[in-house]
Amino acid sequence: MRTWSAGTAAHWCYLRAVAEAFEAAGMPVADWRADPGPPRDGWIPFDRSRASIVVWDHDQAGLGWSEIAGWYLLLINSPGRRVTIPLPVPLVAAPPTVIAAVAVRVGPAPSAIRSPGSSGHRDLPDADAGPGTPELERALSRYG
């Protein structure tokens, strides 16, 4: 049986907020997952079957997050060729910051990105905190 601590719940909420922001911005996601770890991490695969403001020239594309390594873009082409692109954003980057970092690498033009609307998370500042620190836990808890 999996138990959820306050830190795990905050990590889950953070990944959900980022996934929802990508949907609202016009880059649909297939789903998203949060793993309590250690280390805590997560995965947000893009949904290539739905209309998107990005043309994915890859068999699979998605975002990964780890409390150790931060955000990265993973592009997969058959047979088994993987490209991992670290995103130069803070460990707990606000969803619009993550979207902008992805857009720089794969398009689209900034004018094509739709506003996330009235999300309560869009105005939260980025937080660069070290893994396992109280600052990291506070930054994640803002999304809960």
Side-chain angles (χ1 to χ4, degrees):
M1 183 166 118
R2 183 179 285 185
T3 58
W4 294 88
S5 67
T8 300
H11 150 250
W12 186 89
C13 292
Y14 175 55
L15 287 165
R16 181 186 63 195
V18 173
E20 289 173 352
F22 271 91
E23 282 282 338
M27 290 183 250
V29 301
D31 62 8
W32 60 273
R33 296 181 288 285
D35 184 350
R40 291 174 291 186
D41 60 13
W43 174 244
I44 303 172
F46 291 107
D47 188 344
R48 295 178 50 250
S49 68
R50 293 171 43 207
S52 175
I53 59 174
V54 172
V55 176
W56 296 106
D57 293 329
H58 309 281
D59 295 334
Q60 295 179 36
L63 287 172
W65 180 85
S66 162
E67 68 181 325
I68 303 296
W71 286 102
Y72 60 91
L73 181 63
L74 179 63
L75 307 172
I76 303 172
N77 293 311
S78 294
R81 184 169 164 253
R82 295 171 163 243
V83 176
T84 302
I85 304 167
L87 298 177
V89 298
L91 187 59
V92 184
T97 302
V98 181
I99 291 168
V102 170
V104 164
R105 275 136 192 91
V106 297
S111 61
I113 299 173
R114 295 194 294 257
S115 168
S118 61
S119 164
H121 303 119
R122 69 184 172 140
D123 296 328
L124 290 175
D126 295 334
D128 212 1
T133 64
E135 293 80 16
L136 174 63
E137 299 312 316
R138 278 194 296 277
L140 288 172
S141 70
R142 299 178 303 175
Y143 292 89

